[in-house]
């Protein structure tokens, strides 16, 4: 089956090296418990985190929407420690502060990088990111993405060692002297007019310019908009009025006119709809890769 195939491949690559940590991404509709048990049985000493995805990218299969991808880390110098915020929707700040302290306790060196695979639906992505950054300190670089379920928006699963959870925020710490770099670009461009958020509750926007959030979308994009609302993230502008970050829309609620986003939006924020073409996204990807390569402090990177 899938697990045997996966383990055969990584064992062949590893040879005699000892795996220290693992990153596991899985498509939806798997027996996840069987999956993590299989990986942990084969490599009982690894620090394992991961989540379900909308799609997977690997050297082996390229882009796939029905695969399981496992990355194993080997190093004599870099240390690895997994941690997890539990029941993160109830107390993201407290649960991640506790988790960060526990994970740090496993390291004898300073953490330099954190790979984060938290729930994609039960808690706000931006709240969890802020909570983990504040718990780890600004010097630790945070990377990752929220769990997916192939756009069903029903439930996402997270992995931590042998555990499979629905409301968790797992992360993997990598210590100094790891060498890494990053690049981030989006390809999305603002369209239509700017608006002001006039009623919001964390990541649920009720009103923009005193009309419902759904009206704001439909005014520019027409009636069928909410079926593929994820294609039009909201640009949220910084104080300079020019730079912006993106908030992905998860779904709209026709009954109350709200739109729920993957991260928080502040009251009074200036916002604008965005759109991207396939070419723009691919172009932005090239820019991000070029930037990461240019910034890389070592000779040749071994993983991406």
């Amino acid at each position: 089956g899938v697990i045997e195939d996966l383990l055969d491949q990584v064992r062949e690559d590893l040879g005699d090296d000892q795996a220290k940590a693992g990153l596991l991404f899985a498509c939806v509709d798997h027996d996840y418990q069987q999956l993590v048990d299989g990986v942990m049985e084969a490599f009982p000493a690894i620090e394992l985190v991961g989540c379900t995805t909308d799609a997977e990218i690997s050297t082996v299969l390229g882009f796939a929407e029905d695969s399981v991808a496992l990355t194993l880390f080997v190093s004599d110098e870099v240390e690895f420690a997994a941690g997890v915020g539990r029941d993160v929707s109830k107390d993201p700040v407290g649960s991640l502060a506790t988790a960060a302290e526990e994970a740090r306790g496993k390291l004898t060196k300073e953490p330099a990088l954190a790979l984060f695979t938290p729930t994609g639906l039960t808690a706000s992505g931006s709240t969890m990111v802020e909570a983990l950054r504040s718990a780890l300190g600004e010097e630790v670089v945070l990377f990752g993405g929220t769990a997916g379920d192939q756009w069903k928006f029903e439930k996402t699963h997270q992995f931590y060692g042998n555990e499979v959870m629905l409301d968790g925020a797992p992360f993997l710490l990598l210590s100094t002297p790891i060498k890494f770099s990053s690049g981030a670009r989006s390809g999305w461009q603002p369209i239509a007019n700017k608006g002001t958020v006039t009623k919001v509750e964390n990541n649920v926007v009720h009103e923009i310019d005193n009309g419902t959030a759904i009206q704001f979308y439909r005014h520019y994009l027409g009636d069928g908009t909410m079926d593929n609302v994820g294609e039009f993230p909201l640009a949220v502008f910084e104080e300079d009025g020019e730079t912006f970050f993106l908030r992905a829309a998860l779904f709209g609620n026709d009954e109350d006119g709200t739109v729920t986003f993957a991260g928080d939006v502040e009251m009074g924020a200036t916002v604008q709809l965005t759109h991207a073409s396939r070419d723009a996204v691919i172009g932005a990807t090239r820019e991000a890769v070029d930037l990461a390569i240019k910034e890389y402090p070592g000779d040749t990177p071994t993983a991406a």
Side-chain angles (χ1 to χ4, degrees):
V2 174
I3 301 169
E4 290 77 14
D5 190 21
L6 197 66
L7 296 176
D8 286 347
Q9 284 182 44
V10 290
R11 280 198 185 105
E12 196 177 321
D13 280 351
L14 278 175
D16 295 331
D17 290 334
Q18 283 296 110
K20 300 284 175 71
L23 194 56
L24 181 68
F25 295 121
C27 61
V28 296
D29 300 328
H30 260 280
D31 183 334
Y32 304 120
Q33 193 61 58
Q34 203 179 5
L35 193 60
V36 296
D37 285 347
V39 173
M40 291 305 292
E41 195 180 327
F43 303 102
I46 65 169
E47 299 282 309
L48 181 71
V49 301
C51 62
T52 52
T53 50
D54 283 338
E56 307 77 46
I57 298 169
S58 66
T59 319
V60 185
L61 293 176
F63 173 84
E65 292 180 286
D66 55 357
S67 73
V68 176
L70 174 65
T71 305
L72 293 179
F73 297 90
V74 174
S75 177
D76 291 331
E77 294 178 38
V78 176
E79 294 179 357
F80 304 89
V84 67
R86 301 173 188 281
D87 298 326
V88 78
S89 60
K90 293 175 188 157
D91 180 14
V93 176
S95 64
L96 281 162
T98 303
E101 196 179 338
E102 284 175 9
R104 268 197 156 177
K106 301 182 198 175
L107 299 174
T108 65
K109 299 176 181 180
E110 281 302 305
L113 177 66
L115 304 179
F116 198 24
T117 61
T119 168
L121 291 176
T122 57
S124 155
S126 59
T127 304
M128 292 185 288
V129 165
E130 288 308 315
L132 188 56
R133 283 190 70 190
S134 139
L136 291 173
E138 295 294 314
E139 67 282 358
V140 179
V141 176
L142 186 58
F143 243 77
T146 57
D149 67 349
Q150 285 188 338
W151 293 83
K152 292 177 183 172
F153 299 116
E154 290 163 5
K155 57 184 177 185
T156 65
H157 295 79
Q158 304 83 48
F159 315 133
Y160 172 71
N162 276 91
E163 292 180 63
V164 177
M165 45 189 79
L166 293 170
D167 189 26
F171 57 90
L172 181 67
L173 299 182
L174 292 79
S175 81
T176 56
I178 188 167
K179 289 179 176 166
F180 66 92
S181 62
S182 62
R185 291 288 183 271
S186 83
W188 269 259
Q189 294 300 324
I191 52 173
N193 295 334
K194 289 181 178 177
T196 304
V197 174
T198 45
K199 188 180 178 189
V200 64
E201 201 175 343
N202 300 324
N203 60 329
V204 181
V205 176
H206 290 259
E207 294 179 5
I208 300 172
D209 291 341
N210 297 311
T212 69
I214 282 185
Q215 278 171 346
F216 182 77
Y217 270 80
R218 289 194 171 136
H219 176 72
Y220 294 110
L221 303 172
D223 285 345
T225 312
M226 303 321 284
D227 299 336
N228 56 352
V229 70
E231 291 180 26
F232 302 95
L234 205 58
V236 182
F237 285 85
E238 306 276 13
E239 284 177 11
D240 62 11
E242 286 180 30
T243 51
F244 60 86
F245 56 86
L246 294 172
R247 284 285 177 257
L250 298 177
F251 47 83
N253 181 338
D254 268 316
E255 285 177 22
D256 59 9
T258 60
V259 177
T260 298
F261 292 86
D264 292 0
V265 180
E266 283 197 358
M267 179 70 179
T270 300
V271 295
Q272 197 171 1
L273 294 178
T274 67
H275 179 56
S277 66
R278 187 175 293 249
D279 288 350
V281 174
I282 291 168
T285 306
R286 284 205 179 93
E287 284 178 26
V289 172
D290 289 346
L291 183 63
I293 290 169
K294 189 173 144 214
E295 299 285 320
Y296 186 65
D299 298 326
T300 311
T302 52

